[in-house]
Amino acid sequence: MVMGLSGSGKSTLIRMLNGLWETTAGDVYIDDVDIAKIGDAELREVRQQKISMVFQHFALLPHRTVAQNAAYALNIQGMEKEERLKKAEEALEMVGLKGWGDKFPAQLSGGMKQRVGLARALAAGSDIMLMDEAFSALDPLIRREMQDQLIELQSRLNKTIVFITHDLNEAMRLGDRIAVMRDGRIVQIGTAEEVLNDPANDYVAQFVADVDRTRVLTASSVMETAQFVVNAEAGPREAQHTMREKQMAAAFAVGRRDNRLQGVVHDKDVVAAVNRGDQKIEGIIDTDVSSVHQDTYLADLFAPSAESPLPLAVVDDDHRLVGVVPRVTLLAAMASISETLHEAEAATAGTETEAVTTEQGGAAS
Amino acid sequence: MSESESFDPMDPRIDVGEWAENGVDWLDETFGPVLDGISDGLSTVYDAVVDLLTAPPFLVMVVLFAALGWFVRSWQFAIFAAAGFYLIAAMDQWEGAMETLTLVLLSAGMAVLLSVPLGVWAAKSSTVSQIVRPVLDFMQTLPPMVYLIPALAMFGIGSVPGMLATVVFAMPPGVRLTELGIRQVDTEVVEAGQAFGSPPGRILRQIQLPLALPTIMAGINQVIMLSLSMVVLAAMVGAAGLGLDVLSGLTTLDVAIGVEAGLGVVILAIYLDRLVAALADRAPVVKAAKVRD
Ligand SMILES: Nc1ncnc2c1ncn2[C@@H]1O[C@H](COP(=O)(O)OP(=O)(O)OP(=O)(O)O)[C@@H](O)[C@H]1O
Ligand SMILES: [Mg+2]
């Protein structure tokens, strides 16, 4: 992810990566080959085999069909017509344009054209993809859809993608690492959370000020340790003891070894079980418990949090209980975020922002 | 040098004309055999094409012109073509019209063959563009008849000097519009070609020329129209065709013949213009943009 204001050199950077524009200083290595130093023919070879590009305004060939466009890179690589059209069809299918191969670009909507651009780059089969504001020309809904599609494709194809965007939320959503550029320089590289919580300078702080943090920060960054947990195989007395100690009306029941969330036990059931003389609480576990995955964005925690009488249980991929988010914690996190926002808007004093971030970090630990 | 010593600033005389004349003489002397070769070759081709067009009975040709119009454009255009060419024959202008058509086809063809590559070159290199542009300006502002003089000097009387003067006269829009067409091709699309590793020649063939084609065709159309007006003027150096009748109408104040020949020129002009415009509409980019499910 490369971001920066207009004119900060993002397009310049990406065009140097595939040698469209020459560097005045520095080297660009692709698989140990310095592309600034090789001849034209070799450079074309590298572009054909190793690196492909998706353009902001799609850059399709208007006089060729969608299928021919998708096959363009393969055409240049010298692949036979039938084979390349077959591959192009596969790529089109990947981006959800199966059956559109015979149309011309003029017959497609903006989102579909960009998918053809994506299919063209995918069909090339190169390991590196350069995307210069590839989604900027799309309207928000389609853009969202394309982002989801890219995330989905990336989870299967695992390419190296250099993605340029103006849109911070897009960068945060798609990017593993984000580079922020200014005046032709990269001023910070880091994960979304690093850039948000620890901006390298005021410029970056200001730049990320209006990021919707609730769509970047996840449950795992605000969750707390679950205090009221009982072993699902324990007896009712032990459960009663835990609940009395923590002064809670209910407790999460987790598996003894795997720590998987099985449900909650409620105080009156526990008391009844004790009175009946039950040996295990298994029978009284209420499995109807709301839990959220640890990677859920804060924005998506509100609804379940509002509905749940208990703090939200946070689980990992294996449904293990990793923490809880009490409603008050969520609200506190939100408050500190909006505070950060206001301060950043009021032209950021770095220290104040830091103070708030620490507070927020405190809430997270 | 000796001339500049006797130069009187109050009564100036700069012999541009003499220099030009010397230049033409020099060309004539130095390349005499070459020029003769060109001249012979061109007049052979010219005679052959005229023979080809005038050999069949005129009605056959009228039908052929109409059919071509139908194929390229529409049945309405075919009707216009049939009526127009029939009228030409009925005005006794058939032979002159076919000669003029031959002159136009050959000289416009040569002008296109020269101007399109030059335009491409100018689009690729700004140095070439900067040199070519003022030359084209000069060529376009020079009165058309001036072109006839050196042609006459080098090739004598006849259709060949007419054609060659026409080639030079008609080239500028071809060069200009080709350069413009190629320069205005979306840079991102050209970059796409480069980014996927396409060599420059292939980018030219697969991207730049097809996308510039409508503009280039507009240029070709203008080349043809300029050629037509010039070959009529070329009658002054003895080129055959409708121009001769126009000229004789002018010199003998014969309104009838002048109008008939002039009408013939107009019909040819409309026919060629519409034909080329229809061809431009068949360019793949134009067709692809018009496709609707
Ligand atoms: N490192 C650099 N050295 C020299 N010139 C640079 C550098 N980075 C950018 N520029 C110049 O700055 C101008 C703008 O750069 P560029 O087009 O890359 O901006 P951008 O970030 O892509 O802007 P936008 O968001 O509007 O697309 C260009 O003319 C480019 O030549
Ligand atoms: Mg840019």
Side-chain angles (χ1 to χ4, degrees):
Chain A
M1 284 292 151
V2 181
M3 349 205 4
L5 296 177
S6 211
S8 57
K10 307 183 295 292
S11 299
T12 311
L13 176 74
I14 210 165
R15 279 165 175 71
M16 288 188 310
L17 293 184
N18 64 355
L20 281 180
W21 295 353
E22 273 174 31
T23 54
T24 48
D27 308 311
V28 179
Y29 283 96
I30 295 176
D31 290 348
D32 300 327
V33 177
D34 184 350
I35 64 157
K37 296 211 169 67
I38 57 181
D40 284 352
E42 289 162 276
L43 180 58
R44 283 199 289 272
E45 192 79 1
V46 169
R47 287 171 180 168
Q48 285 175 15
Q49 309 296 340
K50 303 208 165 138
I51 193 160
S52 51
M53 191 160 175
V54 181
F55 292 81
Q56 178 171 5
H57 300 107
F58 325 136
L60 302 177
L61 308 188
H63 58 299
R64 297 203 174 179
T65 63
V66 166
Q68 287 170 333
N69 267 287
Y72 179 70
L74 302 172
N75 176 357
I76 301 301
Q77 288 172 14
M79 187 181 284
E80 288 304 316
K81 187 168 181 184
E82 257 170 48
E83 198 182 344
R84 70 172 187 249
L85 285 179
K86 203 172 118 245
K87 291 222 163 173
E89 192 57 49
E90 284 167 20
L92 285 173
E93 200 173 331
M94 247 189 264
V95 298
L97 281 181
K98 190 176 158 71
W100 286 83
D102 293 334
K103 307 275 180 196
F104 283 98
Q107 293 170 277
L108 270 51
S109 71
M112 293 162 87
K113 284 184 204 164
Q114 194 52 289
R115 279 176 218 207
V116 180
L118 194 56
R120 174 172 66 182
L122 289 174
S126 41
D127 291 334
I128 306 172
M129 285 225 283
L130 306 177
M131 304 179 74
D132 187 359
E133 301 196 35
F135 299 159
S136 302
L138 307 177
D139 69 55
L141 278 179
I142 299 188
R143 188 178 206 179
R144 183 86 193 199
E145 207 177 294
M146 293 288 297
Q147 290 171 357
D148 290 340
Q149 201 160 43
L150 186 66
I151 293 172
E152 197 269 322
L153 282 171
Q154 176 64 355
S155 71
R156 280 191 282 151
L157 303 175
N158 229 338
K159 293 180 184 289
T160 302
I161 301 180
V162 180
F163 193 106
I164 287 183
T165 177
H166 265 136
D167 179 350
L168 274 148
N169 291 312
E170 184 168 77
M172 303 270 165
R173 221 165 107 71
L174 297 178
D176 296 328
R177 291 199 306 155
I178 296 173
V180 184
M181 290 195 69
R182 180 191 200 180
D183 299 338
R185 287 173 194 286
I186 292 178
V187 288
Q188 183 171 10
I189 296 190
T191 63
E193 295 206 19
E194 279 164 16
V195 174
L196 268 187
N197 293 336
D198 189 17
N201 56 28
D202 291 354
Y203 174 79
V204 179
Q206 225 164 334
F207 198 79
V208 297
D210 51 341
V211 168
D212 183 353
R213 283 166 169 73
T214 65
R215 299 206 176 276
V216 176
L217 300 178
T218 56
S220 60
S221 66
V222 297
M223 70 189 178
E224 300 174 1
T225 318
Q227 305 262 353
F228 32 99
V229 179
V230 295
N231 185 331
E233 286 164 33
R237 270 179 202 290
E238 191 185 333
Q240 195 177 22
H241 176 77
T242 308
M243 287 157 82
R244 195 182 286 158
E245 198 167 75
K246 309 292 181 205
Q247 300 181 349
M248 287 297 299
F252 293 111
V254 298
R256 176 195 289 282
R257 281 198 195 83
D258 55 12
N259 203 31
R260 276 175 209 240
L261 180 64
Q262 308 209 333
V264 281
V265 286
H266 297 284
D267 49 0
K268 42 183 201 300
D269 298 336
V270 170
V271 172
V274 170
N275 289 345
R276 278 201 303 274
D278 288 1
Q279 292 302 307
K280 300 257 172 171
I281 57 170
E282 264 172 343
I284 57 167
I285 295 174
D286 175 7
T287 51
D288 182 24
V289 57
S290 55
S291 63
V292 293
H293 189 267
Q294 59 186 358
D295 290 341
T296 313
Y297 295 118
L298 296 195
D300 299 326
L301 292 183
F302 290 106
S305 174
E307 283 162 13
S308 167
L310 287 173
L312 270 181
V314 181
V315 296
D316 66 7
D317 288 334
D318 296 325
H319 213 67
R320 280 193 288 261
L321 183 68
V322 290
V324 293
V325 182
R327 206 171 316 164
V328 60
T329 308
L330 187 56
L331 293 175
M334 292 308 300
S336 75
I337 284 171
S338 62
E339 225 174 297
T340 323
L341 268 185
H342 288 140
E343 273 157 24
E345 268 163 22
T348 4
T351 45
E352 280 172 41
T353 320
E354 240 165 59
V356 176
T357 345
T358 337
E359 214 174 274
Q360 194 179 309
S365 61
Chain B
M1 276 293 109
S2 58
E3 276 175 38
S4 67
E5 275 158 19
S6 64
F7 184 76
D8 174 4
M10 298 315 290
D11 179 21
R13 170 64 201 159
I14 303 175
D15 259 327
V16 178
E18 198 186 302
W19 301 337
E21 194 181 320
N22 290 340
V24 170
D25 285 347
W26 177 80
L27 276 179
D28 203 8
E29 280 160 26
T30 324
F31 297 106
V34 181
L35 296 180
D36 288 345
I38 293 176
S39 179
D40 291 346
L42 271 179
S43 62
T44 313
V45 175
Y46 169 79
D47 290 339
V49 178
V50 172
D51 285 348
L52 191 72
L53 290 177
T54 48
F58 81 91
L59 270 178
V60 173
M61 291 309 292
V62 169
V63 171
L64 281 180
F65 286 128
L68 183 63
W70 196 351
F71 176 70
V72 173
R73 201 178 169 99
S74 64
W75 60 268
Q76 292 96 330
F77 182 55
I79 290 176
F80 160 82
F85 279 102
Y86 189 82
L87 179 63
I88 289 177
M91 294 186 300
D92 266 347
Q93 299 288 344
W94 186 256
E95 194 148 329
M98 291 305 107
E99 285 164 356
T100 297
L101 186 60
T102 306
L103 287 172
V104 170
L105 291 180
L106 290 181
S107 39
M110 285 187 278
V112 167
L113 284 183
L114 290 172
S115 63
V116 171
L118 190 57
V120 170
W121 194 20
K124 297 243 153 182
S125 148
S126 39
T127 319
V128 174
S129 175
Q130 273 163 15
I131 296 169
V132 162
R133 200 163 304 157
V135 175
L136 292 180
D137 287 340
F138 176 80
M139 281 165 70
Q140 279 191 309
T141 40
L142 209 60
M145 276 180 283
V146 176
Y147 289 99
L148 295 173
I149 303 166
L152 192 61
M154 284 190 277
F155 296 98
I157 296 271
S159 292
V160 170
M163 274 194 280
L164 291 176
T166 304
V167 170
V168 179
F169 176 72
M171 270 177 58
V175 181
R176 269 188 217 283
L177 285 166
T178 301
E179 180 183 352
L180 177 72
I182 289 197
R183 280 188 188 270
Q184 74 188 7
V185 170
D186 188 353
T187 44
E188 233 190 40
V189 182
V190 176
E191 272 184 341
Q194 294 168 336
F196 287 105
S198 185
R202 226 164 155 183
I203 293 180
L204 183 67
R205 248 183 321 116
Q206 294 186 326
I207 299 179
Q208 290 170 308
L209 283 178
L211 295 198
L213 195 57
T215 312
I216 297 177
M217 287 301 282
I220 291 178
N221 198 352
Q222 287 195 24
V223 168
I224 293 176
M225 291 303 112
L226 285 184
S227 300
L228 189 57
S229 62
M230 189 66 189
V231 294
V232 172
L233 269 184
M236 292 167 65
V237 293
L242 296 171
L244 278 182
D245 283 339
V246 174
L247 198 62
S248 80
L250 188 70
T251 46
T252 61
L253 255 184
D254 186 338
V255 175
I257 195 157
V259 166
E260 285 182 354
L263 204 54
V265 174
V266 171
I267 291 168
L268 276 184
I270 296 176
Y271 182 72
L272 290 172
D273 177 64
R274 294 299 134 86
L275 203 66
V276 174
L279 280 176
D281 279 346
R282 292 161 76 92
V285 218
V286 180
K287 279 211 289 201
K290 280 189 189 149
V291 179
R292 288 276 161 262
D293 300 301

